[in-house]
Amino acid sequence: MFRTRLLSGIVLVAIALVVIIAGGPVLAAVLFLISLIGMNELYRALNTEKQNDSSRNGSAGSTGSTCENRSLCGPLSVIGYLGCALWYLLLFFDLSAYTLTVLLAVLICMMAVYVFTFPRYRTEQVSGAYLGFVYVAVMLSCIYELRMMEDGVYLVWLIFLASWGSDTCAYCVGMLIGKHKMTPRLSPKKSVEGAVGGVAGAALLGVLYAYAVSRHLSGEANHMMSFAIICAAGALISMVGDLAASAIKRDHDIKDYGKLIPGHGGILDRFDSVIFVSPVIFYLAQALVGRF
């Protein structure tokens, strides 16, 4: 299993290098595809398109036990996928001023489906469908927005340092000295010591990365402090993203979101922290880079 995870991780890093360096339409297309797959996985987990028993016999619908056997072709899911496509088209054509319109339009359309197909869906299914659109597609798209900023080809890697880098540091520190459980019921293997090590490790990675790329960045500022703050803050949010994805799986009694990535599971199993970190790094980079 470890060998499979390692090889898959190496392949993922190689693909990320090529796609992010390429930027533009290549990055937009890959993120769009990843978003669709991630939404697909979440819709399966949340039973978004499961037919409610209440629409047939008056009793509440029950949840299944496996992610793979759940239907996801229905009006709520289709609206989510179309919203995802429209969102990326607006970003690609630099029409981000209209993205709020898409957020509202997707919500209104999903509520319209809820009303006009009543009682096919329950409220939590509509909420889950909208959550999938915002949580996966909208938040993940911040990778593209950061990449297209000035110096974005360098700044975008802060996302992965703060998520995957901090995760590796937290794992190593937790294995060495971890004693106090951080969330014993949700993730028993995660420790407070590991969390501290993850944040400190991410900050250190930010400093080292700033030292390596500062000469390529515009302006004369010393970027070590800003990169350290950004990566440390991103590491904190990364833990929330990781635990949130775990909480959803536990709530719906599934082990993995999918089987797409050998040794890792689905897109959401591998990108759970990246999804949360992306918007945080995007806004922090705008606010802090070049200020110290």
Side-chain angles (χ1 to χ4, degrees), residues 150-197:
E150 183 182 9
D151 297 327
V153 69
Y154 299 106
L155 298 177
V156 71
W157 296 104
L158 295 174
I159 292 173
F160 300 97
L161 288 177
S163 54
W164 293 347
S166 68
D167 185 55
T168 301
C169 293
Y171 175 79
C172 293
V173 173
M175 288 292 291
L176 290 173
I177 61 173
K179 293 182 179 179
H180 301 87
K181 303 299 182 183
M182 186 168 64
T183 53
R185 295 186 63 182
L186 181 58
S187 187
K189 294 183 179 181
K190 295 186 184 300
S191 65
V192 174
E193 294 83 358
V196 173

Side-chain angles (χ1 to χ4, degrees), residues 67-145:
C67 188
E68 288 77 7
N69 296 326
R70 298 171 184 173
S71 169
L72 44 123
C73 288
L76 284 180
S77 299
V78 170
I79 291 171
Y81 300 144
L82 290 176
C84 176
L86 185 55
W87 183 270
Y88 276 96
L89 283 173
L90 290 177
L91 293 183
F92 180 72
F93 288 106
D94 197 22
L95 297 172
S96 57
Y98 298 97
T99 51
L100 178 59
T101 304
V102 177
L103 283 173
L104 296 176
V106 169
L107 177 59
I108 291 171
C109 289
M110 286 184 175
M111 292 302 293
V113 168
Y114 176 48
V115 169
F116 291 112
T117 64
F118 190 84
R120 173 173 176 173
Y121 296 107
R122 297 180 63 84
T123 309
E124 54 266 30
Q125 289 176 290
V126 182
S127 302
Y130 192 67
L131 171 67
F133 167 63
V134 176
Y135 170 45
V136 183
V138 174
M139 294 178 73
L140 197 62
S141 70
C142 289
I143 295 177
Y144 177 80
E145 294 195 78

Side-chain angles (χ1 to χ4, degrees), residues 25-49:
V26 174
L27 179 59
V30 171
L31 286 176
F32 170 59
L33 180 61
I34 290 174
S35 296
L36 287 181
I37 297 172
M39 290 172 66
N40 179 300
E41 292 174 352
L42 189 60
Y43 287 166
R44 286 181 184 273
L46 298 180
N47 277 319
T48 300
E49 293 296 345

